[in-house]
C-alpha cells in the first residue's frame, strides 16, 4: 500500500534552587508562555507510572470490565479488534535488520511489516489484558523478541517517520506485557530496551522540520520510549519538542496575524510561513499547518498530540491544559467539515482532501469527558464512527481503550 509521508508534577523535591537573574527570567518566561488552561509542570516524573504509555492500568481495568459486562461500545470495539489480523495467534512476525522506507512507500523494504507487527504486539497485549488468555501475551512477546533480536537501522527518506510510527506502538505493547504479565524473561526485556534505546530513540529524539505530523509522531515515539526506559532526560526532551511544535501546528487567534513558527525552523517571513501552511492566508482558530494539505495527515498530527498529552497525564505531568484550546478547536474545525459542512472559498480554495481517520477518541475523551469542554462537532463525528479501528500505521482500537474512560 502506497502511503503518503513527508520528510512538574515534580517540584525538585529536597533541592534548594538559587534563582540567578537569568534563571529567574527563564522561569518567568516559562510562566508567561504556559498557554491556556493552567500552569506547567516543568520536569519528568520522579517515579514513572507503569503501564503508562497511552493507557494506564486504571484505563485497562475499565476497558476489561466494560467488555466483560457486554457494555457498548466497548464490547463491539473488542469484537472488531479480536477479529482483525492483528489479534491472530498464528501471526508470524517478519523482522529484518534494516528497514528501508522511501517516500510514498517506495521502496517498502520491511516498512509495512514493521508497523503492522508493532500494532499486532499492542493488539495482542490488549487482548491479553481483557481475556487473561496467556496465549495472547506469549504471541506479543514472540513478536517483540523477533524484532529486538534482528533490527539495527532504518534508512532512506522516510526513516524518521517510519521510526516514529513503529516506535509509538512498541512501547505501548511492552508496557502492558512487562507490567501485567510475568512470562517475559528479563533478558529479553533488556534486549527490547536496548533496541528502543539504540535503534529507535536516536532517530526520533531530535525531531524534524518537515511537515508537523512528522515531528509530532516522532515525539510520540520518543516520550513512549522514555517511559519504558525510565529515561528522564529523554522524557524532558520530548516534552520540550511537544511544547515547541503544538503552537506551530495549530493556530489560535491569540497567536497574531500569522501562525507561530516551530523552534529552529528558520521560518521568519510571512511568505515562508504561508508557504509552509500550504498557501493558506486566512487563519482561524483550529486551523492546522496541514489542513490545506489533506485531512489524513492532519489527523496524524492531531492523534499524536492527543497521545503525547495522554501519556503525560498518566505520568503525572498533565500537558492537556497547555494545549486544550488548540486541540479542541482543531478537532472541532476538522470534524465540522468531515461531517459534511460546505468548505468556504477562503479555506484551502474551497476544497479539503481525504479524511481524518480514527483519530478523535483520545482527545475527545480527555477534553470533553474529563475537562468538560462542549465539543458538538467532535462528539458527533466520534460517536457516529464507533468503533474506531486502526489506520495500520500507529493508531489502533481507541474506542475500546478511551471511549468514555474516566481513568
Amino acid at each position: 500500500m502506497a502511503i503518503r509521508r513527508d520528510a512538574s508534577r515534580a517540584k525538585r523535591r529536597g533541592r534548594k534552587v538559587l534563582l540567578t537573574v537569568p534563571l529567574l527570567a527563564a522561569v518567568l518566561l516559562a510562566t508567561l508562555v504556559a498557554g491556556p488552561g493552567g500552569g506547567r509542570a516543568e520536569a519528568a516524573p520522579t517515579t514513572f507510572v507503569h503501564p503508562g504509555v497511552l493507557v494506564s492500568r486504571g484505563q485497562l481495568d475499565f476497558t476489561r470490565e466494560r467488555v466483560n459486562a457486554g457494555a457498548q461500545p466497548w464490547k463491539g470495539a473488542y469484537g472488531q479488534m479480536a477479529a482483525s489480523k492483528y489479534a491472530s495467534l498464528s501471526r508470524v512476525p517478519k523482522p529484518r535488520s534494516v528497514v528501508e522506507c522511501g517516500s510514498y512507500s517506495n521502496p517498502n523494504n520491511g516498512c509495512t511489516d514493521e508497523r503492522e507487527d508493532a500494532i499486532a504486539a499492542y493488539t495482542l497485549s490488549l487482548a491479553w489484558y481483557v481475556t487473561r488468555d496467556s496465549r495472547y501475551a506469549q504471541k506479543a512477546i514472540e513478536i517483540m523478541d523477533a524484532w529486538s533480536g534482528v533490527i539495527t537501522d532504518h534508512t532512506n527518506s522516510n526513516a524518521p517517520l517510519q521510526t516514529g510510527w513503529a516506535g509509538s506502538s512498541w512501547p505501548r505493547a511492552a508496557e502492558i506485557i512487562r507490567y501485567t504479565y510475568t512470562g517475559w524473561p528479563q533478558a529479553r526485556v533488556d534486549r527490547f530496551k536496548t533496541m528502543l534505546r539504540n535503534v529507535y530513540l536516536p532517530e526520533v529524539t531530535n525531531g524534524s522540520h518537515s511537515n508537523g505530523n512528522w515531528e509530532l509522531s516522532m515525539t510520540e515515539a520518543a516520550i513512549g520510549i522514555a517511559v519504558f526506559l525510565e529515561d528522564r532526560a529523554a522524557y524532558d526532551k520530548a516534552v520540550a519538542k511537544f511544547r515547541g511544535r503544538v503552537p506551530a501546528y495549530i493556530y489560535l487567534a491569540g497567536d497574531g496575524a500569522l501562525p507561530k513558527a516551530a523552534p529552529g525552523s528558520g521560518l521568519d517571513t510571512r511568505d515562508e510561513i504561508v508557504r509552509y501552511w500550504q498557501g493558506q492566508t486566512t487563519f482561524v482558530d483550529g486551523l492546522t499547518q496541514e489542513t490545506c494539505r489533506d485531512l489524513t495527515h492532519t489527523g496524524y498530527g492531531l492523534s499524536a498530540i492527543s497521545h503525547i498529552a495522554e501519556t503525560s497525564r498518566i505520568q503525572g505531568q498533565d500537558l492537556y491544559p497547555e494545549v486544550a484550546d488548540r486541540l479542541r478547536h482543531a478537532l472541532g474545525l476538522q470534524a465540522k467539515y468531515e461531517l459534511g459542512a460546505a468548505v468556504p472559498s477562503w479555506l484551502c480554495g474551497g476544497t479539503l482532501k481525504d479524511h481524518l481517520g480514527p483519530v478523535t477518541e483520545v482527545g475527545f475523551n480527555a477534553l470533553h469527558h474529563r475537562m468538560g469542554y462542549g465539543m458538538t462537532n467532535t462528539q458527533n463525528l466520534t460517536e457516529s464512527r464507533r468503533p474506531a479501528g486502526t489506520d495500520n500505521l500507529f493508531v489502533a482500537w481507541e474506542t475500546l481503550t478511551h471511549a468514555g474512560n474516566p481513568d
Side-chain angles (χ1 to χ4, degrees):
M1 178 175 62
I3 302 169
R4 286 171 297 171
R5 309 175 178 86
D6 12 76
S8 139
R9 178 184 65 178
K11 297 180 180 177
R12 306 180 188 276
R13 296 181 179 89
R15 285 194 287 168
K16 295 181 179 179
V17 180
L18 178 62
L19 291 180
T20 63
V21 172
L23 180 56
L24 179 59
V27 170
L28 291 173
L29 178 61
T31 301
L32 288 172
V33 300
R40 291 164 59 146
E42 292 302 329
T46 53
T47 303
F48 285 95
V49 175
H50 304 291
V53 176
L54 186 59
V55 288
S56 66
R57 187 181 295 272
Q59 289 173 313
L60 290 167
D61 285 341
F62 174 85
T63 298
R64 182 171 187 263
E65 290 164 2
R66 295 289 82 204
V67 172
N68 289 339
Q72 299 295 357
W74 305 275
K75 183 68 173 180
Y78 181 80
Q80 175 196 45
M81 184 188 79
S84 75
K85 63 182 179 180
Y86 298 111
S88 172
L89 290 170
S90 61
R91 185 180 189 87
V92 178
K94 299 178 180 178
R96 64 172 65 206
S97 176
V98 177
V99 174
E100 182 184 11
C101 305
S103 183
Y104 292 82
S105 299
N106 183 24
N108 182 344
N109 294 324
C111 315
T112 301
D113 293 339
E114 180 189 30
R115 293 193 310 268
E116 294 194 351
D117 275 349
I119 290 174
Y122 176 54
T123 301
L124 291 157
S125 73
L126 291 173
W128 143 251
Y129 201 90
V130 170
T131 67
R132 294 300 197 270
D133 184 338
S134 63
R135 294 177 301 167
Y136 290 116
Q138 285 296 324
K139 179 58 71 170
I141 290 169
E142 177 188 331
I143 294 170
M144 290 188 287
D145 285 353
W147 279 90
S148 69
V150 172
I151 190 168
T152 61
D153 200 9
H154 297 86
T155 63
N156 215 315
S157 59
N158 267 21
L161 184 59
Q162 171 72 18
T163 310
W165 281 342
S168 294
S169 297
W170 287 130
R172 296 178 204 161
E175 280 280 303
I176 294 172
I177 297 300
R178 172 66 179 83
Y179 292 99
T180 72
Y181 181 70
T182 59
W184 195 7
Q186 186 61 48
R188 294 300 174 88
V189 174
D190 291 342
R191 191 174 76 181
F192 193 81
K193 288 182 176 181
T194 298
M195 176 191 79
L196 293 180
R197 182 175 296 284
N198 294 345
V199 180
Y200 288 83
L201 189 57
E203 190 72 49
V204 298
T205 189
N206 293 320
S208 166
H209 292 141
S210 184
N211 284 304
N213 82 88
W214 273 55
E215 183 158 87
L216 290 164
S217 295
M218 294 163 68
T219 302
E220 180 185 348
I223 200 168
I225 291 168
V227 170
F228 190 63
L229 297 179
E230 299 193 322
D231 186 328
R232 300 184 77 243
Y235 181 100
D236 285 341
K237 187 171 183 177
V239 169
K241 287 291 181 185
F242 177 81
R243 285 173 164 158
R245 175 56 79 166
V246 174
Y249 193 70
I250 302 172
Y251 176 83
L252 286 180
D255 296 339
L258 292 171
K260 296 177 180 291
S265 67
L267 302 178
D268 54 12
T269 70
R270 182 183 186 278
D271 287 348
E272 288 173 338
I273 291 173
V274 167
R275 190 178 310 117
Y276 186 59
W277 282 64
Q278 322 299 325
Q280 179 71 8
T281 58
T282 301
F283 302 99
V284 297
D285 286 344
L287 186 76
T288 82
Q289 181 258 319
E290 295 186 275
T291 299
C292 293
R293 182 188 182 194
D294 60 67
L295 292 179
T296 300
H297 287 88
T298 298
Y300 299 162
L302 298 182
S303 183
I305 291 169
S306 301
H307 293 169
I308 294 163
E310 192 74 1
T311 294
S312 77
R313 185 191 65 84
I314 294 167
Q315 295 304 322
Q317 184 193 29
D318 193 350
L319 297 174
Y320 274 120
E322 297 181 28
V323 301
D325 276 357
R326 293 185 191 275
L327 183 57
R328 72 183 180 93
H329 279 298
L331 289 170
L333 182 70
Q334 322 309 310
K336 174 182 177 179
Y337 297 112
E338 188 81 342
L339 287 166
V343 182
S345 60
W346 58 263
L347 178 60
C348 311
T351 302
L352 292 174
K353 302 175 184 176
D354 299 339
H355 298 284
L356 280 177
V359 302
T360 61
E361 287 279 15
V362 175
F364 173 67
N365 186 55
L367 298 174
H368 178 69
H369 290 295
R370 294 199 197 107
M371 300 180 74
Y373 287 105
M375 301 175 68
T376 301
N377 289 330
T378 307
Q379 182 170 3
N380 289 340
L381 180 65
T382 302
E383 293 178 351
S384 70
R385 297 192 174 177
R386 286 176 173 164
T390 177
D391 66 358
N392 303 306
L393 301 173
F394 74 113
V395 178
W397 323 124
E398 293 180 356
T399 296
L400 175 65
T401 56
H402 287 82
N405 198 318
D407 291 294

